[in-house]
Amino acid sequence: MHLLLRIFPIFSLAIATSLPFSLVQAQTSNQTCQALLSNERSYVNWYPVKPLSETIATDAVARQLDELQAIAVSPSSLDLAIQRELGQWLIEKPDPGPPDTGAPARMDALLKALPKTQKPQLTAIFDQLANRIEKLPSLILRAEMTGKLAGYYQQLQGNDRAALLLNQAIAKALKSTDVQGRTAQLTKLLDAVVELGLSKAIVPQLPQIETVLARSVPSLSLARVYADTNQSQKALLLADRVAKATPAGQIVNSDLIALYLQLNQLSRANLYFKRSSPEDDAPYGRLAAAYDRAKQTEQADKVFKDGFSGLRRGLAINHFLSAYLKAGGNPDRLFTGLPTLEGVGIIDLGSDYLLPAAGEYRRRNQPEKASKAIAQFVKLAASGNLRLDDLLMTAIRDGNLLEAKTAFEQLLAQNAFAKVEPPINFAGEINALDAIAPFVQRLSKNPERRIELLQSLAIAYAKQNQPDKAISIAERIPRRSPNYSSAIDTLAQVATVFAKSGQKTQAQMIFAKALSLSSNIKEIDTRAQAYAAIARAYTNAGETASAETTRQTAVKWALSLPTDPNVVSMPSLILQQFLNTNQVEAAWKTLQEISKDGYKDASIGDLVSTALYLGNLSIAQQAVDLQSSYATPELFVEQASQLAKAYLDRDRPEEAIKMLERAINVLNKQKQPNVSLLLPIVRLYAKAGRIDVARQLMSKFLYPISSNDLSWRQELEQYVDCHEKAFL
């Protein structure tokens, strides 16, 4: 991103003009600089391009869809940043063990939260993302991301759309003139084809694929496609070539061994099994299933046991078990072969896989075993030791609705929900809210938890288009809790549900009821919070004018309360509540109505951070301006630097320089400025093309520092040097 070629006036720096630049300009190789600058371009915080509307900012799903849409239409100048961000959306973060336990791809979380009504919108975005992926610089990542995107298409629309995407990508790869890149792309795409069970869909292109890959390193993926399309002889010949090409002493891919078993080559499989590794995760799970299908019980036992060896945990074990079941493994092992893992607490793996096992038994026409698996799940659930709602919802997504519903009905028949929290989300999904409502209203000796459950139940009824029941539940919530009116807040959220579904009249009736109840609350602090809750709900519903009127009412009542220097003021609490829901404009207006004496406990720093997160640089700028008078010098400098970076990332260097100048003016007044605050400022000046100022700052503040470890100084010099070369 080209930021700055013109000259800006240098602010006054009381420093010497003779600088030891010969020490600074160590010759940094062009290759090193290219890698450094490419890495920096990968971490440009370009989104949001413009301030998010509050209706998007306050809706987690809407914000994620907006971000994906922005990625899909982003310019080529952001290729490296888009490549990294799409990797986070589509590709899982590895799970190497403590302290990093890995993370699923962001798309997985979005699909879990995505309402059915918004699936067409996400599908349309996928169509655009597929085109954007084709423009990324890395050929291998293009292919890997296309394969992952095909998997998500499969979840949303089934096999046909996923197969179409993969066939199109394969056709493009076959036409590529980059021989090495073409081979890598085809290999990744074939991996996806096999994993998604779509081998038969690409049969028409197999002759061309075969011709292209014949001149390269033998492809295990192609061999697996042959096996899946009943071309056993070709599969075996290619598998032997893959095995021969694997250097002695190197770990053999578990999928190669499973392929030999699929081709009834037990001796070859056992030969190479000695060089397999449990660290293969999903392939190792498929290998365990392959030994089961081959009726090699002893070997299958070993593979299954080894799958839980060492420090493997979390995502790795989930992949192992999920792949095992998907590949046709024996569900019986989930009752006899799962260990109890101890680490941070005790992990009972069996509970997560009882319903999947029951579903697998049903598909194998083994009803008695399916019933036993469900009964065991019900027994565990009745003890209160399961994440019941999560497990039942997961069962729906995995195609095991029948098993989940049966387990729910058995728990209901056993009166288990008298002691165990009812699964409200699942009950809403299967239209069974009436069955659990009596339990929710009586459950939980913890008043706060009971309020949370009642709120969830009321909102669930609203989503089922049952306003009378939603209102009735909300009205049973106590209207007075410490500094908060949960009943009013719940009514307002119920109104928002109806507003978002297009039922404006119904929404306005419920909003009016909430306002009426608020006006009759005697406690001023609770009344102020009740109006603030309604204001937040109006914003979520897109009723901006009503939101502002109600916010003003909330602030008026909050300001009427006496102040206590030992307690956070009510206006500041209301401001923070707006920030907690990403309503930064309402928070900023509220801050402006607070007296300057109240700024000390107002969350101006949080306001800056939230405004930056939502792309509202105007409010962030005004809040940082306030920080210069009311925050500590360190906090002002830190947030001024953050704002400067946001300006630079959006190609607004003039504004960035002004913020950096203000930060340096503050640091100049300190006897010993904090080095950790100076380093990002130097980097930002260099990034903006102000190499002269960056080096002046280094000479004045950083070179005098003596330390046993000055590697940070060398890295900084290299960074500045590389940016100087970039602007030559």
Side-chain angles (χ1 to χ4, degrees):
M1 186 178 295
H2 202 184
L3 292 174
L4 186 65
L5 290 177
R6 51 196 176 281
I7 301 298
F8 291 90
I10 300 178
F11 57 90
S12 176
L13 280 175
I15 56 179
T17 57
S18 178
L19 301 173
F21 288 143
S22 60
L23 298 176
V24 178
Q25 293 181 338
Q27 292 301 312
T28 306
S29 71
N30 290 335
Q31 186 176 4
T32 299
C33 284
Q34 184 177 2
L36 185 151
L37 295 173
S38 293
N39 182 68
E40 183 174 64
R41 285 194 290 272
S42 297
Y43 285 87
V44 171
N45 293 324
W46 60 276
Y47 176 82
V49 177
K50 59 183 180 180
L52 294 180
S53 67
E54 291 201 322
T55 52
I56 291 177
T58 56
D59 186 322
V61 169
R63 188 184 189 283
Q64 291 177 86
L65 292 174
D66 183 81
E67 183 178 346
L68 286 171
Q69 179 66 55
I71 289 173
V73 299
S74 59
S76 59
S77 59
L78 291 172
D79 273 354
L80 291 175
I82 297 303
Q83 190 166 267
R84 180 185 64 83
E85 290 171 20
L86 272 177
Q88 294 176 339
W89 274 104
L90 300 173
I91 302 172
E92 178 185 288
K93 185 179 179 182
D95 182 12
D100 183 2
T101 57
R106 290 182 64 191
M107 196 69 74
D108 292 336
L110 175 57
L111 288 179
K112 287 180 181 179
L114 188 72
K116 293 178 182 178
T117 55
Q118 290 180 286
K119 286 186 177 181
Q121 182 183 355
L122 182 57
T123 302
I125 292 174
F126 278 1
D127 293 342
Q128 294 177 288
L129 286 176
N131 293 327
R132 184 65 179 92
I133 288 171
E134 284 298 317
K135 300 174 184 176
L136 296 177
S138 170
L139 293 177
I140 295 178
L141 281 176
R142 279 189 209 172
E144 184 175 5
M145 289 181 185
T146 298
K148 298 296 185 182
L149 186 63
Y152 291 118
Y153 264 127
Q154 190 178 57
Q155 292 184 49
L156 283 180
Q157 287 198 313
N159 288 338
D160 290 348
R161 187 62 184 86
L164 176 62
L165 176 64
L166 289 170
N167 268 310
Q168 290 173 339
I170 288 171
K172 289 179 183 177
L174 288 170
K175 294 177 183 177
S176 173
T177 56
D178 181 344
V179 176
Q180 188 175 358
R182 179 178 61 192
T183 300
Q185 281 185 289
L186 286 173
T187 299
K188 285 287 185 184
L189 291 169
L190 289 175
D191 285 343
V193 167
V194 176
E195 298 303 322
L196 298 177
L198 298 174
S199 295
K200 294 179 180 179
I202 68 162
V203 166
Q205 297 200 80
L206 275 180
Q208 287 180 276
I209 296 171
E210 191 175 338
T211 301
V212 169
L213 294 182
R215 296 184 293 272
S216 65
V217 175
S219 168
L220 174 59
S221 297
L222 181 56
R224 294 172 70 196
V225 171
Y226 283 144
D228 290 345
T229 54
N230 300 317
Q231 301 182 61
S232 300
Q233 187 174 359
K234 284 186 175 182
L236 182 57
L237 288 172
L238 192 49
D240 285 342
R241 288 181 58 203
V242 172
K244 186 176 180 180
T246 305
Q250 182 174 312
I251 291 173
V252 174
N253 192 316
S254 298
D255 279 328
L256 174 60
I257 305 169
L259 176 59
Y260 275 129
L261 291 169
Q262 183 179 349
L263 298 171
N264 297 316
Q265 300 295 318
L266 181 60
S267 59
R268 284 183 172 93
N270 288 339
L271 174 65
Y272 292 108
F273 174 72
K274 300 172 185 177
R275 291 165 57 189
S276 64
S277 170
E279 302 300 322
D280 260 354
D281 297 343
Y284 208 67
R286 290 191 285 270
L287 178 57
Y291 271 117
D292 266 334
R293 293 196 307 273
K295 302 191 184 309
Q296 299 295 308
T297 306
E298 184 176 343
Q299 200 74 313
D301 288 344
K302 176 174 172 50
V303 178
F304 197 82
K305 181 179 179 181
D306 288 348
F308 301 96
S309 63
L311 294 175
R312 299 173 71 252
R313 59 179 46 73
L315 290 172
I317 288 176
N318 285 337
H319 291 330
F320 171 76
L321 287 172
S322 297
Y324 174 76
L325 283 178
K326 186 177 179 181
N330 182 3
D332 291 351
R333 291 190 181 279
L334 299 179
F335 303 96
T336 60
L338 293 185
T340 298
L341 302 182
E342 295 186 10
V344 183
I346 296 177
I347 304 172
D348 181 2
L349 295 168
S351 62
D352 287 354
Y353 289 91
L354 287 168
L355 291 181
E360 189 64 27
Y361 282 133
R362 168 175 53 83
R363 286 182 280 274
R364 295 182 180 204
N365 198 26
Q366 296 178 291
E368 290 185 6
K369 288 187 174 182
S371 297
K372 287 182 179 179
I374 294 172
Q376 190 167 338
F377 177 86
V378 169
K379 183 178 179 181
L380 285 172
S383 69
N385 293 325
L386 297 186
R387 299 169 288 105
L388 184 57
D389 213 349
D390 288 345
L391 291 172
L392 293 175
M393 292 297 289
T394 299
I396 295 178
R397 289 190 293 271
D398 291 345
N400 299 318
L401 172 60
L402 177 62
E403 288 69 34
K405 193 172 181 180
T406 301
F408 173 82
E409 290 169 350
Q410 289 183 14
L411 286 166
L412 200 60
Q414 294 176 17
N415 207 33
F417 298 132
K419 295 181 179 179
V420 177
E421 287 188 3
I424 295 174
N425 292 322
F426 178 78
E429 192 73 20
I430 65 170
N431 297 317
L433 291 174
D434 288 350
I436 65 167
F439 296 105
V440 174
Q441 295 174 60
R442 296 193 299 264
L443 194 65
S444 188
K445 296 179 181 178
N446 182 332
E448 292 184 2
R449 182 58 184 156
R450 181 170 178 271
I451 287 173
E452 291 173 359
L453 291 171
L454 288 170
Q455 286 180 312
S456 297
L457 181 60
I459 293 169
Y461 268 125
K463 291 178 179 178
Q464 293 292 322
N465 196 26
Q466 298 189 57
D468 292 341
K469 290 180 179 179
I471 293 170
S472 174
I473 294 296
E475 289 181 331
R476 297 181 192 186
I477 299 174
R479 295 180 193 169
R480 167 73 194 187
S481 56
N483 297 325
Y484 190 65
S485 181
S486 303
I488 306 300
D489 179 50
T490 305
L491 275 174
Q493 290 186 58
V494 166
T496 300
V497 171
F498 285 102
K500 286 187 172 184
S501 66
Q503 300 182 64
K504 300 293 184 181
T505 302
Q506 184 68 65
Q508 290 306 324
M509 289 174 58
I510 301 174
F511 271 127
K513 186 176 186 65
L515 287 168
S516 175
L517 290 172
S518 299
S519 67
N520 292 320
I521 296 176
K522 294 181 180 179
E523 299 85 356
I524 300 301
D525 56 349
T526 305
R527 187 187 303 177
Q529 293 233 50
Y531 277 113
I534 298 171
R536 295 193 301 273
Y538 267 132
T539 297
N540 293 341
E543 301 285 347
T544 53
S546 297
E548 174 57 14
T549 299
T550 312
R551 184 200 66 80
Q552 291 174 4
T553 303
V555 173
K556 179 190 73 173
W557 287 114
L559 290 173
S560 71
L561 290 164
T563 58
D564 182 343
N566 298 316
V567 178
V568 176
S569 69
M570 181 56 62
S572 294
L573 285 174
I574 289 175
L575 184 155
Q576 186 62 54
Q577 289 168 354
F578 283 125
L579 291 178
N580 292 344
T581 54
N582 286 338
Q583 296 189 20
V584 69
E585 292 182 15
W588 172 244
K589 291 175 182 177
T590 301
L591 179 65
Q592 292 176 295
E593 296 178 38
I594 296 175
S595 68
K596 291 181 172 56
D597 291 337
Y599 282 178
K600 66 181 184 301
D601 61 11
S603 304
I604 302 178
D606 288 348
L607 179 57
V608 174
S609 300
T610 304
L612 290 174
Y613 173 70
L614 300 176
N616 197 323
L617 303 195
S618 174
I619 288 179
Q621 176 71 69
Q622 294 176 79
V624 169
D625 292 343
L626 279 181
Q627 292 284 61
S628 65
S629 300
Y630 296 98
T632 63
E634 290 77 14
L635 180 58
F636 170 76
V637 170
E638 180 183 352
Q639 296 203 310
S641 298
Q642 292 170 357
L643 179 56
K645 183 181 186 304
Y647 280 135
L648 282 178
D649 286 345
R650 289 162 177 79
D651 216 1
R652 295 165 63 176
E654 296 95 336
E655 292 150 296
I657 293 292
K658 290 178 182 178
M659 289 311 306
L660 293 174
E661 289 177 352
R662 292 177 62 185
I664 290 300
N665 285 336
V666 171
L667 290 176
N668 269 329
K669 297 174 184 178
Q670 296 185 318
K671 292 182 179 180
Q672 289 186 322
N674 189 324
V675 173
S676 65
L677 295 176
L678 277 163
L679 293 179
I681 292 176
V682 172
R683 289 175 179 270
L684 289 169
Y685 267 117
K687 184 177 180 179
R690 295 307 308 270
I691 309 300
D692 53 343
V693 179
R695 288 193 166 132
Q696 287 174 347
L697 292 173
M698 292 166 67
S699 296
K700 177 177 180 180
F701 293 113
L702 301 179
Y703 285 143
I705 296 174
S706 59
S707 170
N708 293 329
D709 179 16
L710 294 178
S711 59
W712 58 268
R713 182 187 294 174
Q714 183 179 356
E715 292 174 3
L716 188 63
E717 290 169 351
Q718 185 181 77
Y719 181 91
V720 174
D721 192 30
C722 287
H723 275 279
E724 182 177 32
K725 290 183 178 183
F727 280 96
L728 290 178

